[in-house]
Amino acid sequence: MQIALWILIFLSTFCIMEFMAWFTHKYVMHGFLWSLHKDHHRKDHDSWFERNDAFFIFYAVMSMSFIMIAGESSFWYGYPIGFGIMAYGATYFMVHDIFIHQRFKWFRNANNWYARGVRRAHKIHHKHLGKEEGECFGMLWVPFKYFKQ
């Protein structure tokens, strides 16, 4: 029974992280921490790194904290929560940083319906260079209209 609960918590955490990414992107990145996110919309630097990468560090620390607390206490469900956050972070990095923004030149030829929809939604998001009037803040689950075109 515990393995089934572990898997359920892991998958639930992964799914909740999509909402957290949307919420953080819309209300934090395009809100009071726009100063960290704006270099992702406007390349005003020559570095491979962006100030925007600080958000990745925040969630990495959250993931590691849950795993470490689980290892030091009876809070065993910290493991599936921490690993769920980590799995979402790895997926986000693969889709957003590697596939969409090509920070590494991998997956350049992916052209299935899902890849086209996610790319299209993200392109619409980036057409807005300022913090206002943004749209499509999600990453893995984007509105169906982007898959229809």
Side-chain angles (χ1 to χ4, degrees):
M1 174 60 183
Q2 190 170 358
I3 190 71
L5 185 56
W6 199 101
I7 292 169
L8 179 65
I9 293 170
F10 172 86
L11 293 174
S12 296
T13 300
F14 185 93
C15 293
I16 289 167
M17 284 304 298
E18 175 68 5
F19 168 76
M20 290 303 300
W22 171 87
F23 182 88
T24 303
H25 193 180
K26 183 168 184 167
Y27 296 107
V28 177
M29 294 178 182
H30 282 256
F32 67 94
L33 287 180
W34 174 250
S35 60
L36 292 177
H37 185 61
K38 69 181 172 184
D39 71 336
H40 181 66
H41 284 263
R42 295 182 189 191
K43 297 293 180 202
D44 61 354
H45 56 86
D46 292 327
S47 174
W48 185 81
F49 291 102
E50 301 174 345
R51 291 180 297 275
N52 185 63
D53 294 334
F55 296 105
F56 168 78
I57 294 168
F58 171 78
Y59 283 111
V61 168
M62 292 297 296
S63 171
M64 290 186 296
S65 297
F66 274 106
I67 293 167
M68 288 172 40
I69 290 168
E72 299 294 323
S73 69
S74 61
F75 183 69
W76 66 266
Y77 39 94
Y79 283 122
I81 293 170
F83 286 117
I85 294 169
M86 181 191 301
Y88 184 84
T91 304
Y92 189 98
F93 181 74
M94 294 291 283
V95 171
H96 181 263
D97 291 299
I98 295 176
F99 173 65
I100 293 174
H101 287 290
Q102 292 289 303
R103 284 177 95 170
F104 296 103
K105 306 302 180 202
W106 306 340
F107 309 123
R108 298 182 102 179
N109 298 325
N111 199 25
N112 60 52
W113 70 272
Y114 179 76
R116 284 190 306 270
V118 169
R119 240 191 244 123
R120 193 174 294 123
H122 204 74
K123 189 174 206 163
I124 293 298
H125 175 75
H126 275 271
K127 80 176 184 178
H128 302 285
L129 297 179
K131 76 181 210 175
E132 305 297 332
E133 300 178 14
E135 57 186 289
C136 200
F137 292 94
M139 176 51 50
L140 302 178
W141 298 330
V142 299
F144 187 68
K145 67 182 180 180
Y146 297 109
F147 297 107
K148 290 197 262 182
Q149 299 173 356

